[in-house]
């Protein structure tokens, strides 16, 4: 879901970092407040393809989500679903068991959170097509992202996935079948041959597969309505969309994560979809995971502006056509990319965004209510906070991650690159030959050891906190990506210094 996202470039300094632009003034905030919230359903998206939380953590945050104003969960299982039989290879090593899925659904229901499963069925199929058992179903042989819509086994595979997910879910009203960012569609050999026929187009190829998947759900589960991401349909002509008959089968989820999304263009797009016989729509904003592929901290102001723009879009729409809004919280840009902000790190942003949507806009009261609910003494909207203490589940992880993001690399760089005794008397030349002037040891060895001890202890504390929420694989990945490069650099310097000292003995 990450095409056309604005990449926000951050420089983490020792002090707070201001975001570009400011939020509306108090008067402006009061002007956008509406009498009643425009979204009947407010879904929180849980992206399980990266750092999936343990069920015990979901048990802690579901009550909070309900209290903040959420009444639904868009649950993107990816490889965390307990697929069985011929689909068993799709399961990650940490996949939930059937009993755990049932427990998640029970927890959600007990806190009035309606669950909508999301299973990719066209694009973003890396977690399926990377396996040798299914790689022959790729649209382009080299790329595991898009399924080949010409092969009968592709549809059988997708239907089998849907059926297994349906089997553990009762009383569903909607089922999200993905279908966003179907990259390289039409570039496979079978597609190229098919497109040689005059009446065939990539649009038809796309629509036919969507219809085939949606038709199965509609016929096998008449009370369940398929939802589709809208991006593959945006540029199609009204005639193509209307004549396809897709509108009678699905509901569209229109996504845009930009803080300055064009309200008028969105209104025009919705009007176009209506003319193509689509009758009900969902919006999708973002509370995290949309500002940088390896982002560690969440830009609250960025995401709050995004919600405010969607509120304006909703206000411009005819009454009764908007089902609800999903606050997406992407954990990876795709199956193979690195982790972006961990879920606990994004909780303050999610809280502000949910409360703004529930109350029809942002105000100082919204901020104060969120501070109270999260146990925060003060919540900065337009800048990162260097020190954070709260009472919400996972708050300690946010605190540790913030310290690492602000100070780890910069403190080590300061010692190794700006300390004249290191650069002048323990350069790579000296380190290689284990040479150092005895007097110079005392000028930086204590600082190096102190710094190494500090960050080693903090990393261990972070790992302990993460074990309560995440599986070992997620912990290892985050530490290796965000901590070890700097820490190993410092450790290597200390080790070389110890060797040089021994040479002096």
């Amino acid at each position: 879901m990450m095409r056309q996202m604005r990449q926000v470039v951050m420089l983490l300094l020792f002090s707070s970092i201001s975001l570009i632009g400011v939020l509306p003034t108090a008067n402006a905030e009061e002007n956008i407040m509406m009498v009643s919230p425009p979204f009947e359903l407010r879904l929180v998206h849980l992206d399980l393809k990266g750092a999936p939380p343990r069920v015990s953590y979901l048990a802690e945050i579901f009550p909070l989500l309900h209290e903040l104003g959420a009444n639904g969960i868009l649950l993107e299982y990816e490889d965390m679903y307990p697929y069985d039989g011929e689909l068993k290879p799709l399961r990650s090593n940490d996949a939930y068991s059937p009993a755990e899925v049932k427990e998640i659904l029970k927890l959600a229901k007990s806190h009035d959170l309606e669950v909508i499963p999301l299973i990719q069925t066209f694009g973003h199929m890396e977690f399926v097509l990377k396996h040798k058992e299914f790689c022959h179903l790729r649209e382009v042989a080299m790329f595991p992202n898009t399924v080949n819509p010409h092969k009968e086994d592709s549809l059988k595979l997708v239907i089998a996935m849907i059926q297994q997910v349906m089997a553990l879910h009762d009383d569903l009203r909607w089922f999200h079948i993905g279908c966003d960012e179907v990259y390289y569609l039409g570039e496979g050999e079978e597609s190229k041959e098919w497109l040689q026929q005059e009446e065939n187009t990539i649009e038809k190829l796309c629509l036919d597969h969507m219809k085939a998947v949606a038709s199965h759900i509609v016929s096998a589960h008449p009370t369940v309505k398929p939802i589709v991401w809208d991006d593959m349909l945006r540029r199609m002509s009204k005639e193509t969309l209307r004549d396809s008959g897709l509108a009678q089968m699905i509901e569209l989820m229109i996504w845009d994560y930009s803080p300055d999304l064009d309200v008028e263009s969105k209104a025009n797009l919705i009007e176009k979809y209506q003319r193509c016989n689509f009758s009900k729509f969902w919006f999708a904003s973002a509370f995290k995971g949309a500002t940088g592929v390896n982002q560690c901290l969440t830009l609250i102001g960025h995401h709050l502006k995004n919600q405010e723009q969607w509120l304006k879009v909703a206000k411009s729409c005819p009454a009764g056509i908007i089902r609800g809004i999903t606050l997406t919280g992407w954990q990876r840009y795709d199956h193979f990319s690195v982790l972006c902000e961990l879920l606990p790190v994004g909780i303050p942003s999610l809280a502000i965004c949910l409360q703004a949507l529930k109350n029809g806009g942002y105000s100082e009261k919204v901020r104060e209510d969120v501070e109270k609910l999260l146990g925060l003494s003060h919540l900065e909207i337009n800048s990162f906070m260097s020190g954070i203490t709260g009472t919400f589940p996972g708050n300690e992880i946010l605190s540790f991650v913030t310290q690492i993001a602000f100070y780890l690399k910069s403190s080590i760089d300061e010692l190794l690159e700006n300390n004249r005794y290191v650069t002048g008397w323990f350069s790579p030349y000296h380190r290689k030959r284990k040479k150092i002037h005895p007097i110079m040891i005392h000028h930086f060895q204590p600082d190096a050891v102190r710094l190494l001890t500090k960050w080693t202890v903090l990393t261990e504390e972070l790992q302990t906190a993460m074990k309560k929420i995440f599986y070992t694989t997620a912990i290892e990945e985050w530490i290796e990506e965000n901590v070890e490069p700097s820490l190993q650099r410092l450790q290597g310097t200390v080790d070389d210094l110890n060797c040089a000292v021994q040479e002096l003995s």
Side-chain angles (χ1 to χ4, degrees):
M1 282 296 299
M2 301 301 158
R3 185 173 54 210
Q4 299 175 338
M5 285 182 185
R6 184 186 300 263
Q7 296 293 313
V8 177
V9 180
M10 294 191 307
L11 180 61
L12 295 175
L13 304 175
F14 287 97
S15 59
S16 296
I17 306 168
S18 295
L19 303 181
I20 297 173
V22 295
L23 291 175
T25 62
N27 289 337
E29 289 162 4
E30 291 172 4
N31 289 337
I32 67 168
M33 296 292 282
M34 290 178 277
V35 176
S36 60
F39 302 113
E40 178 186 349
L41 289 168
R42 295 174 295 276
L43 312 180
V44 174
H45 170 236
L46 294 180
D47 179 18
L48 301 182
K49 66 175 172 283
R54 296 179 183 274
V55 177
S56 57
Y57 184 65
L58 296 179
E60 291 186 80
I61 64 167
F62 279 4
L64 177 62
L65 298 185
H66 172 75
E67 196 169 6
L68 288 168
N71 51 18
I73 301 291
L74 181 63
L75 197 53
E76 183 163 1
Y77 282 109
E78 232 236 16
D79 59 359
M80 282 298 290
Y81 193 80
Y83 291 108
D84 203 2
E86 63 178 0
L87 300 182
K88 194 171 183 177
L90 306 187
R91 296 166 56 168
S92 74
N93 293 331
D94 298 325
Y96 297 134
S97 68
E100 286 176 315
V101 171
K102 282 291 188 182
E103 179 64 18
I104 292 171
L105 300 178
K106 179 182 176 182
L107 287 167
K109 187 173 183 178
S110 67
H111 294 99
D112 299 319
L113 299 169
E114 180 168 4
V115 172
I116 300 177
L118 191 163
I119 298 295
Q120 289 287 0
T121 60
F122 205 174
H124 284 296
M125 290 280 283
E126 293 93 345
F127 79 102
V128 178
L129 301 178
K130 72 177 184 180
H131 296 286
K132 64 180 185 298
E133 293 90 342
F134 306 107
C135 65
H136 65 287
L137 298 178
R138 298 174 180 180
E139 164 72 339
V140 177
M142 286 186 62
F143 305 145
N145 54 291
T146 297
V147 75
N148 184 337
H150 302 282
K151 291 186 180 296
E152 185 179 343
D153 284 349
S154 293
L155 185 59
K156 288 181 180 179
L157 167 67
V158 166
I159 289 175
M161 292 166 60
I162 292 171
Q163 287 302 101
Q164 288 203 17
V165 173
M166 287 280 193
L168 290 182
H169 292 73
D170 300 323
D171 304 322
L172 287 180
R173 291 197 287 171
W174 294 280
F175 193 107
H176 202 310
I177 59 173
C179 298
D180 62 305
E181 298 183 335
V182 188
Y183 296 142
Y184 306 106
L185 181 64
E187 297 185 23
E189 293 306 314
E190 289 181 74
S191 288
K192 288 178 180 178
E193 183 177 343
W194 184 83
L195 289 169
Q196 293 298 313
Q197 301 176 43
E198 187 175 348
E199 72 276 11
N200 291 337
T201 64
I202 291 179
E203 288 81 4
K204 184 177 185 299
L205 186 59
C206 179
L207 291 165
D208 284 351
H209 182 76
M210 289 182 180
K211 286 169 57 181
V213 177
S215 293
H216 165 75
I217 293 178
V218 171
S219 60
H221 307 276
T223 60
V224 180
K225 192 77 170 182
I227 299 174
V228 170
W229 297 117
D230 83 301
D231 56 288
M232 293 301 294
L233 311 180
R234 290 173 193 167
R235 293 178 178 82
M236 293 185 186
S237 70
K238 290 192 289 289
E239 294 74 24
T240 298
L241 277 177
R242 187 169 54 243
D243 295 345
S244 72
L246 184 65
Q248 284 72 39
M249 301 179 184
I250 69 164
E251 293 180 358
L252 288 178
M253 187 169 282
I254 305 168
W255 62 270
D256 193 323
Y257 312 140
S258 170
D260 56 358
L261 70 85
D262 190 323
V263 174
E264 184 179 358
S265 72
K266 284 293 180 291
N268 291 337
L269 179 62
I270 292 167
E271 183 181 355
K272 170 189 169 180
Y273 286 147
Q274 283 186 286
R275 290 178 178 175
C276 299
N277 298 323
F278 292 95
S279 58
K280 295 291 184 180
F281 303 92
W282 301 75
F283 296 159
S285 60
F287 73 89
K288 80 172 189 72
T291 57
V293 68
N294 62 343
Q295 183 95 340
C296 286
L297 299 176
T298 304
L299 302 162
I300 295 178
H302 175 106
H303 298 297
L304 177 55
K305 287 182 183 180
N306 179 231
Q307 316 305 322
E308 291 175 328
Q309 292 302 98
W310 276 119
L311 284 167
K312 293 175 185 176
V313 176
K315 194 173 182 181
S316 72
C317 290
I321 69 168
I322 307 302
R323 287 281 193 199
I325 187 167
T326 296
L327 294 89
T328 61
W330 301 102
Q331 198 56 74
R332 298 187 195 276
Y333 275 28
D334 68 35
H335 182 78
F336 290 107
S337 68
V338 298
L339 294 170
C340 39
E341 308 107 291
L342 297 170
L343 180 56
V345 172
I347 292 293
S349 175
L350 174 59
I352 286 285
C353 292
L354 269 173
Q355 280 286 287
L357 292 174
K358 182 180 180 180
N359 290 282
Y362 175 75
S363 67
E364 280 302 303
K365 185 179 186 306
V366 165
R367 183 176 63 80
E368 291 168 3
D369 288 347
V370 167
E371 287 173 349
K372 187 180 297 183
L373 285 167
L374 300 186
L376 296 167
S377 58
H378 181 69
L379 181 60
E380 287 289 340
I381 303 299
N382 287 315
S383 63
F384 292 120
M385 296 180 293
S386 56
I388 298 174
T389 56
T391 58
F392 64 91
N395 71 89
E396 64 275 18
I397 289 178
L398 173 56
S399 178
F400 289 135
V401 168
T402 300
Q403 292 180 62
I404 288 169
F406 269 83
Y407 304 120
L408 172 62
K409 185 177 185 300
S410 57
S411 66
I412 292 174
D413 287 350
E414 179 67 22
L415 175 70
L416 302 186
E417 297 176 11
N418 296 330
N419 184 302
R420 64 191 294 263
Y421 299 107
V422 176
T423 59
W425 281 271
F426 204 52
S427 69
Y429 174 87
H430 296 97
R431 291 176 61 179
K432 182 177 180 181
R433 290 161 178 79
K434 299 181 175 58
K435 292 171 55 177
I436 188 169
H437 193 300
I439 294 176
M440 298 305 165
I441 295 172
H442 307 290
H443 285 290
F444 69 89
Q445 186 183 45
D447 290 337
V449 172
R450 191 179 306 115
L451 202 59
L452 179 61
T453 301
K454 169 189 173 180
W455 288 117
T456 300
V457 170
L458 188 142
T459 300
E460 291 171 353
E461 291 174 344
L462 171 60
Q463 289 174 309
T464 299
M466 291 181 75
K467 286 176 183 176
K468 300 174 185 176
I469 297 176
F470 300 112
Y471 299 95
T472 301
T473 49
I475 300 170
E476 289 176 348
E477 179 181 354
W478 199 92
I479 297 297
E480 286 182 29
E481 287 285 346
N482 298 283
V483 176
E484 287 189 3
S486 292
L487 206 56
Q488 287 178 352
R489 186 173 174 227
L490 179 58
Q491 180 71 63
T493 302
V494 171
D495 290 345
D496 287 349
L497 182 57
N498 289 337
C499 290
V501 170
Q502 290 176 5
E503 289 290 319
L504 294 174
S505 302

